Amino acid sequence: MDTRCARPDASSGIPSVVPSAAPSAAPSVVPSTASPAPSCVQRSVVTELRLSAFKSHRNASYALGPLTLFRGPSGSGKSSALQAYGVLARLAGGDVLEEALSLVDGGPGACVPQQARPDAQGRRGFRIGCTVEGPVGPVRLDVAVQAEPELRIVGERMTASGRTLLSTALRDPGRRAVEAAWHTAGAAPVTRAPLPDDRLGTALMPLRVAGKTAGQQLVLDAAEQVVVALRAVFACDPRPDLMRAPAARDDGLLRGTCDNVAAVLGRTRHECATRHAALVAAVDAGCRVPVDGLSVRGTDDGLVQAVLGQRAGGAVGLERLGDGELRYLALCLVLMTGPGVLDMDPAGEVLQARQALTVLADDFDRCLDAGQERELLALAVRMGERGHVRLVGAVRDTGAADPPVAGVSVVDLRGE
């Protein structure tokens, strides 16, 4: 029996099933258990986003650097690119398909390209994927999803060095399962088993593969590399209207809306004096009022309110700052902290030295003036040079990185 992987047909909306090579018997890339060369990339990072058929994107592939901005007018697809990235991240984190797609406005049906025609059974779908660089080398993941009439993953493929390590395909539409085949390179070159059709097979491999053969270990290493990179994502869209309100003192993990920023500042100012001083300096560079401190004060109802100290004396509460200053402060905080401060769920079983936080920031430049935007981009570049933080953002048609900020990669969607 051959192994098949679903991919979108050029004219139909449902991912069509086409033959593909089964997982091969002998590995062609070195498992991460081998000693890497000194120059080998140790952190797992997403270096390419593929939108084969997703919303307005068709056969699109976007390279992602340490700091990448999608730029274009309304409707150009910049926000949908970040949504696709976020869906992959949530699937890698263990979410079922419906949960992962809940962040997309309009739901699963909105992910299907508008021009996609249903097949005879009324089925339409979409396909997204990515490439992850790391100790195993480049690993590709592609996922085909049926959105209508039933939501399910109908095909998945994970490959490295041209070798298929895992593939799944929908064989029986009446069963809520796909047939999976993964590389073994043992007595049996390929292992086959059913997997649920609403979860990412790559994320399930550690529960299915023993790692007893070199082939199995390669599958585990490649799957770990993909999952680690995708789980290390923090979607951030600061909400100034919520940031002005006091927060519970012990609410110390920053949420994506940054509504509890006061509690987080109260926590972080005591944890690392050096980092806090750097944060104060960064905030000072982008605020109208001169800032020489960030602290919190208690309220009558037991909450805390964030306060900016001024060099001329006195203090300014966050409730008095403009929207741009509040978004600027929150984004500075996100870029200068990490998973221990942010409300996210990175791979706890992998050393932090092998992980790189990726911040997804839609409407990155909303409410920011040109000076604030350039300061934030320069800060993101500096943090990215250390290898710990990456930024993928979406910005308006004009003004973003113009003139260019060194180290910023811009994906211009104005011509698409």
Side-chain angles (χ1 to χ4, degrees), residues 37-400:
S39 61
C40 181
V41 176
Q42 293 301 304
R43 295 187 182 91
S44 300
V45 296
V46 177
T47 56
E48 181 186 45
L49 179 67
R50 287 186 298 281
L51 306 181
S52 300
F54 186 79
K55 291 197 171 185
S56 62
H57 299 273
R58 296 285 289 186
N59 300 318
S61 178
Y62 304 113
L64 302 180
L67 199 170
T68 305
L69 297 178
F70 287 84
R71 179 173 65 180
S74 178
S76 62
K78 56 187 186 296
S79 294
S80 60
L82 270 65
Q83 289 175 355
Y85 196 139
V87 169
L88 288 171
R90 295 184 66 167
L91 287 172
D95 281 7
V96 298
L97 185 59
E98 186 175 6
E99 293 171 343
L101 290 170
S102 64
L103 60 85
V104 180
D105 294 335
C111 300
V112 181
Q114 186 173 3
Q115 66 272 31
R117 300 190 305 271
D119 65 5
Q121 287 75 41
R123 298 175 299 179
R124 299 199 309 156
F126 60 91
R127 187 180 182 185
I128 56 179
C130 64
T131 299
V132 179
E133 298 273 359
V136 178
V139 179
R140 291 172 57 97
L141 172 69
D142 293 285
V143 183
V145 176
Q146 174 187 298
E148 302 168 356
E150 293 179 306
L151 182 63
R152 63 204 315 177
I153 295 175
V154 295
E156 177 180 348
R157 184 182 299 168
M158 180 178 66
T159 62
S161 294
R163 186 177 301 278
T164 302
L165 302 181
L166 167 70
S167 63
T168 72
L170 179 67
R171 299 295 190 186
D172 182 358
R175 296 182 60 199
R176 296 311 308 244
V178 293
E179 180 185 296
W182 58 84
H183 183 60
T184 304
V190 175
T191 299
R192 301 181 188 276
L195 292 179
D197 67 354
D198 62 349
R199 293 185 182 273
L200 190 68
T202 297
L204 297 175
M205 285 297 96
L207 304 176
R208 295 281 184 155
V209 180
K212 294 181 179 179
T213 69
Q216 290 178 342
Q217 188 60 51
L218 178 58
V219 172
L220 286 175
D221 290 345
E224 176 187 276
Q225 180 168 301
V226 171
V227 170
V228 166
L230 287 174
R231 282 181 61 177
V233 163
F234 183 70
C236 181
D237 185 13
R239 290 276 305 277
D241 56 321
L242 302 179
M243 291 173 61
R244 292 187 176 93
R249 186 181 298 273
D250 59 353
D251 192 5
L253 288 178
L254 188 68
R255 290 183 284 273
T257 57
C258 302
D259 57 296
N260 60 334
V261 65
V264 176
L265 288 172
R267 167 196 166 187
T268 57
R269 65 188 292 261
H270 297 295
E271 291 182 344
C272 179
T274 301
R275 182 175 63 184
H276 184 73
L279 176 62
V280 171
V283 172
D284 177 57
C287 282
R288 174 181 53 81
V289 297
V291 177
D292 67 354
L294 290 169
S295 60
V296 296
R297 61 189 176 196
T299 65
D300 294 338
D301 50 2
L303 304 178
V304 291
Q305 180 81 47
V307 176
L308 277 65
Q310 295 182 273
R311 285 194 292 269
V316 176
L318 254 60
E319 71 277 6
R320 295 186 176 274
L321 299 185
D323 287 359
E325 291 174 311
L326 287 171
R327 282 183 57 84
Y328 175 83
L329 182 153
L331 290 168
C332 283
L333 178 60
V334 170
L335 291 171
M336 299 182 71
T337 55
V341 176
L342 306 177
D343 186 12
M344 55 183 296
D345 185 27
E349 64 275 12
V350 177
L351 294 175
Q352 286 294 322
R354 288 188 55 192
Q355 300 189 53
L357 168 69
T358 297
V359 178
L360 293 185
D362 197 7
D363 279 343
F364 173 80
D365 57 343
R366 189 172 77 246
C367 301
L368 301 179
D369 62 33
Q372 290 169 333
E373 184 178 354
R374 291 186 65 83
E375 288 288 345
L376 272 175
L377 291 178
L379 173 61
V381 169
R382 293 197 300 272
M383 302 305 295
E385 288 173 347
R386 303 179 183 180
H388 296 287
V389 179
R390 297 167 71 86
L391 172 66
V392 180
V395 296
R396 296 186 302 269
D397 187 28
T398 58

